[in-house]
Amino acid sequence: MNQEESAISFGYEASEEEIQKVILAWAQATEAFHYRFAKLDRLINTLQTASRRKPTANRARLNRLVALRQHMGDVLMTLLIDMSNQKTGQPAQLSKPGQLYSHANLLDELNRQIDVELISVTHVAQA
């Protein structure tokens, strides 16, 4: 048995069920991410419209939300490039389950950050 064959035989092979769970978690995190991005975008547009009438009101909050939206866009582009493997100039390959799991965790963390911002803006608007 040569070195390549022995390396392959010791590798971990995820079961179909594990792969399906990871793909489902990734799909749910991605869908939630897109939903929150759209909600954040609408909120920013509303605050920008309001800031035209009152230029000093909520400027810091608006800047923080715009920065968060930019960060979200950057993360999404990074994940898309990572999934397609274009950063290395190689043809697109299927992602490994661990990579999908990492992406899902990153998107979930961003979703939590967005929720904190959206909730704080909602509480301020109601006050």
Side-chain angles (χ1 to χ4, degrees):
M1 186 180 331
N2 66 26
Q3 239 178 342
E4 284 182 33
E5 289 175 3
S6 65
I8 292 172
S9 64
F10 291 110
Y12 172 75
E13 289 292 326
S15 71
E16 253 186 72
E17 184 178 316
E18 288 173 309
I19 292 172
Q20 287 175 348
K21 283 181 183 179
V22 167
I23 290 171
L24 182 61
W26 179 82
Q28 289 172 337
T30 303
E31 184 178 330
F33 181 81
H34 286 289
Y35 170 76
R36 283 172 177 83
F37 188 89
K39 193 171 180 179
L40 182 64
D41 199 46
R42 285 191 305 273
L43 177 61
I44 288 170
N45 291 337
T46 301
L47 288 174
Q48 285 174 333
T49 301
S51 72
R52 289 187 192 112
R53 287 180 250 144
K54 297 178 187 176
T56 58
N58 296 321
R59 179 58 60 187
R61 178 169 283 116
L62 181 60
N63 290 339
R64 193 171 59 244
L65 294 174
V66 169
L68 181 59
R69 180 176 61 181
Q70 180 62 45
H71 178 63
M72 290 173 66
D74 292 346
V75 166
L76 190 57
M77 287 304 296
T78 301
L79 294 181
L80 290 173
I81 289 170
D82 191 27
M83 296 291 284
S84 68
N85 245 356
Q86 289 183 9
K87 65 182 175 188
T88 59
Q90 298 174 352
Q93 299 174 354
L94 293 177
S95 181
K96 296 180 177 123
Q99 187 180 18
L100 287 177
Y101 185 72
S102 297
H103 290 181
N105 285 339
L106 177 60
L107 292 174
D108 282 338
E109 178 58 32
L110 273 172
N111 288 337
R112 282 189 285 279
Q113 290 176 13
I114 295 162
D115 287 344
V116 167
E117 289 297 328
L118 293 175
I119 288 170
S120 71
V121 170
T122 304
H123 287 302
V124 169
Q126 290 174 351

